[in-house]
């Protein structure tokens, strides 16, 4: 195994704490992922990526920087990777999914802040995130109130925090605001990278990101098969790696995995027996290594066949039309694409509910498990009307609120199992 200590030291990581974090991550990965039976061969690539997620991938980022490329980190799927790639930059996701150093985070943030935000602060204060420390620019986007105010507190802790303002309605004016924010982001990227976005570089970037999204869409469609050829856990992992890996290599690996899964579907070779209860999970994004809920669900009675989440279909279901002969026209197409995202911070937000119904139907799911992080106002608020509407449409729905800790695992499992009984009777 390569020793990356020197690289981590040069990024300013706290080696002892970081070692402990990696050891915990490795154990969780072995227990949750490697213990699954009859996994697709194609998952070996993702096992490798995970084993090197703070090693080889970080080395690649360091090398990219040495070659003069900029590293742009973000916490939201509204930040267009296309624009980063168009200046030959590298885009990395920074959301964290572990309950780590929450005591530290709570010295700066109110206790009733969602785990996703606390985790980002815990990682920063604990000096354990090599992605964050590699970034030339960290993009904070004004979405929910928690994130908005947290970025104000984060500003002095990091170098080069850039705030992107986002609209919260779907009006024409809101779309114009989004386009203007993206235009300002181009300016920022051009300044920091010293490279100009051209029609050719932007078209190429759009095509690259489209190919990546097409690959995960292909995976999402394959999951309609019964028996399920891949677990929800493994599919989630692919969607999580989406935010960290090299886009070309990732696309290739996902397409290879899909080739294999299509053969499995033909041969009725499932990871769960035919007729296993099928559920869609909808709600807050699950960042690495947030695997708690999928693990509890899939170790109970059901297979997860889709994620209506930003780490899932909400983040990847739209492609960008490659149309336009100027950077401005291409930016219109990019804005059109991103303006579709139906995050719960938007009001009103009917398309999210419609799409949960559509997913349930096309993936032949018997029910929906709505997942909100505690203290996440947008998704908790939206979960009531979502549950009511789904139930009215004959789709059994279980609403869960949880955090990154394991204390409520037993209680969650009991509720998940009781929901399973209900689905069986359906
Ligand atoms: S587009 S879902 S990635 S904002 S869980 S921090 S909402 S209090 S993550 Fe998100 Fe962009 Fe929307 Fe997607 Fe706030 Fe809720 Fe915490 Fe959240």
């Amino acid at each position: 195994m390569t020793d990356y200590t020197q690289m981590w030291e040069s990024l300013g990581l706290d080696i002892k704490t970081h070692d402990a974090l990696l050891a915990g991550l490795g154990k969780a990965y072995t227990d949750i992922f490697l213990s699954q039976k009859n996994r697709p061969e194609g998952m070996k690539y993702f096992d490798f990526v995970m084993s090197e997620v703070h090693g080889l991938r970080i080395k690649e980022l360091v090398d990219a920087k040495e070659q003069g490329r900029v590293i742009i980190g973000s916490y939201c799927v509204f930040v267009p990777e296309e624009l980063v790639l168009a200046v030959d930059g590298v885009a990395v996701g920074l959301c964290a999914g572990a309950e780590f150093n929450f005591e530290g985070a709570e010295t700066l943030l109110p206790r009733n802040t969602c785990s996703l935000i606390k985790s980002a602060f815990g990682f920063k204060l604990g000096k354990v995130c090599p992605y964050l420390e590699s970034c030339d620019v960290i993009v904070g986007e004004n979405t929910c109130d928690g994130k908005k105010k947290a970025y104000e507190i984060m500003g002095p802790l990091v170098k080069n925090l850039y705030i992107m303002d986002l609209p919260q309605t779907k009006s024409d004016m809101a779309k114009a605001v989004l386009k203007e924010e993206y235009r300002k982001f181009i300016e920022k990227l051009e300044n920091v990278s010293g490279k100009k976005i051209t029609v050719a570089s932007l078209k190429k970037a759009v095509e690259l990101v489209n190919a990546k999204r097409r690959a995960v869409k292909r995976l999402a469609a394959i999951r309609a098969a019964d028996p399920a050829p891949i677990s929800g856990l493994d599919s989630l992992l692919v969607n999580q790696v989406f935010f960290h890996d090299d886009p070309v290599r990732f696309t290739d690996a996902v397409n290879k995995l899909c080739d294999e899964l299509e053969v499995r579907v033909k041969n009725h070779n499932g990871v769960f027996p035919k007729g296993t209860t099928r559920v869609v999970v909808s709600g807050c994004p699950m960042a690495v290594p947030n695997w708690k809920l999928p693990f509890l669900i899939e170790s109970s009675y059901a297979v997860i066949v889709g994620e209506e989440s930003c780490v899932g279909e909400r983040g990847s279901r739209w492609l960008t039309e490659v149309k336009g002969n100027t950077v401005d026209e291409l930016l219109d197409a990019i804005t059109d694409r991103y303006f579709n995202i139906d995050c719960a911070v938007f009001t009103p937000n009917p398309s999210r509910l419609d799409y949960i119904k559509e997913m349930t139907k096309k993936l032949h799911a018997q029910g929906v498990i709505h997942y909100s992080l505690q203290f996440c106002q947008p998704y908790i608020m939206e979960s009531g009307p979502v549950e009511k509407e789904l139930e009215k449409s004959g789709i059994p729905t279980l609403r869960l609120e949880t955090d990154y800790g394991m204390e409520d695992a037993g209680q969650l499992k009991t509720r998940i199992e009781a929901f399973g009984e209900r689905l069986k009777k359906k």
Side-chain angles (χ1 to χ4, degrees):
M1 266 210 359
T2 319
D3 183 1
Y4 295 108
T5 312
Q6 220 181 347
M7 176 179 79
W8 293 328
E9 270 169 356
S10 70
L11 288 170
L13 299 194
D14 178 325
I15 300 300
K16 219 168 129 200
T17 319
H18 182 251
D19 281 352
L21 177 79
L22 282 195
L25 182 69
K27 166 135 181 36
Y29 194 81
T30 307
D31 293 349
I32 295 174
F33 285 90
L34 303 183
S35 63
Q36 297 177 94
K37 303 269 176 306
N38 194 23
R39 286 175 86 210
E41 278 294 301
M43 286 312 296
K44 289 212 170 107
Y45 170 77
F46 298 92
D47 291 340
F48 175 71
V49 170
M50 285 307 293
S51 70
E52 288 288 343
V53 74
H54 280 198
L56 192 57
R57 184 61 185 142
I58 301 302
K59 170 85 175 60
E60 288 178 349
L61 299 188
V62 170
D63 291 347
K65 271 163 94 85
E66 270 169 22
Q67 291 155 18
R69 300 176 68 194
V70 285
I71 315 295
I72 312 294
S74 69
Y75 294 96
C76 180
V77 296
F78 265 101
V79 179
E81 185 176 355
E82 294 87 341
L83 301 182
V84 176
L85 295 177
V87 292
D88 195 28
V90 182
V92 289
L94 296 175
C95 290
E99 189 180 52
F100 175 80
N101 191 22
F102 276 20
E103 323 77 63
E106 285 172 14
T107 61
L108 297 176
L109 301 168
R111 205 189 59 78
N112 57 349
T113 302
C114 83
S115 291
L116 203 126
I117 298 173
K118 271 192 208 165
S119 191
F121 274 70
F123 273 54
K124 175 62 203 164
L125 297 171
K127 301 183 187 157
V128 293
C129 181
Y131 288 92
L132 187 72
E133 305 306 335
S134 305
C135 285
D136 296 292
V137 178
I138 294 168
V139 185
E141 82 308 330
N142 283 338
T143 44
C144 66
D145 286 351
K147 275 184 168 180
K148 257 182 254 176
K149 302 311 283 183
Y151 293 133
E152 290 176 12
I153 300 171
M154 184 185 270
L157 304 178
V158 297
K159 50 177 186 192
N160 219 349
L161 179 69
Y162 173 86
I163 298 296
M164 180 182 280
D165 211 5
L166 292 184
Q168 308 206 334
T169 65
K170 294 283 172 90
S171 64
D172 290 346
M173 204 194 284
K175 196 193 241 188
V177 168
L178 185 64
K179 185 181 172 192
E180 178 57 16
E181 282 299 318
Y182 287 168
R183 199 198 50 72
K184 283 199 268 178
F185 187 45
I186 289 181
E187 249 173 49
K188 173 74 184 173
L189 289 169
E190 289 182 337
N191 276 341
V192 75
S193 68
K195 292 169 191 149
K196 195 103 188 112
I197 291 186
T198 63
V199 172
S201 73
L202 192 49
K203 269 195 182 163
K204 192 173 158 213
V206 167
E207 271 156 8
L208 218 134
V209 180
N210 274 349
K212 176 166 137 169
R213 293 202 180 111
R214 222 175 263 120
V216 287
K217 277 165 73 72
R218 185 178 165 204
L219 173 63
I222 293 172
R223 293 168 74 192
D226 185 14
I230 182 166
S231 65
L233 271 164
D234 277 337
S235 308
L236 172 66
L237 186 74
V238 171
N239 280 293
Q240 289 175 332
V241 169
F242 182 98
F243 296 94
H244 298 284
D245 201 5
D246 171 78
V248 175
R249 192 172 56 205
F250 173 85
T251 304
D252 189 47
V254 179
N255 279 322
K256 279 195 185 119
L257 173 68
C258 289
D259 291 343
E260 179 190 350
L261 295 182
E262 280 165 2
V263 174
R264 276 185 171 233
V265 171
K266 255 190 222 142
N267 297 336
H268 308 286
N269 180 7
V271 284
F272 289 84
K274 189 173 169 60
T276 298
T277 305
R278 305 161 66 85
V279 295
V280 162
V281 172
S282 167
C284 292
M286 292 179 186
V288 171
N290 180 6
W291 304 310
K292 175 170 96 172
L293 194 62
F295 177 69
L296 291 174
I297 296 170
E298 294 203 325
S299 58
S300 299
Y301 57 87
V303 54
I304 299 167
V305 290
E307 296 78 26
E308 189 283 316
S309 156
C310 286
V311 184
E313 294 210 26
R314 195 188 314 128
S316 58
R317 75 181 193 261
W318 298 278
L319 301 181
T320 303
E321 247 190 280
V322 195
K323 63 168 191 201
N325 297 314
T326 62
V327 169
D328 192 62
E329 284 169 359
L330 284 166
L331 192 58
D332 277 329
I334 290 172
T335 308
D336 282 346
R337 186 263 163 209
Y338 281 85
F339 200 57
N340 287 314
I341 299 172
D342 37 19
C343 169
V345 298
F346 280 86
T347 180
N349 192 32
S351 70
R352 176 169 169 240
L353 175 63
D354 293 343
Y355 196 66
I356 304 171
K357 286 188 199 162
E358 192 182 322
M359 275 182 80
T360 310
K361 198 167 163 210
K362 72 180 180 190
L363 297 168
H364 315 293
Q366 278 98 39
V368 170
I369 297 186
H370 191 284
Y371 156 75
S372 305
L373 279 175
Q374 264 166 20
F375 312 121
C376 168
Q377 295 283 355
Y379 284 89
I380 294 173
M381 287 276 192
E382 211 164 273
S383 69
V386 164
E387 179 190 33
K388 206 163 141 209
E389 269 308 309
L390 292 178
E391 291 280 357
K392 218 161 84 188
S393 316
I395 304 168
T397 305
L398 172 67
R399 262 202 289 165
L400 297 177
E401 250 179 69
T402 183
D403 56 17
Y404 286 176
M406 286 311 283
E407 292 78 15
D408 62 350
Q411 197 195 13
L412 285 174
K413 197 155 172 89
T414 307
R415 292 195 59 201
I416 290 166
E417 280 166 1
F419 186 57
E421 290 307 313
R422 189 181 160 202
L423 294 182
K424 262 187 230 152
K425 285 184 201 135
K426 218 192 144 211

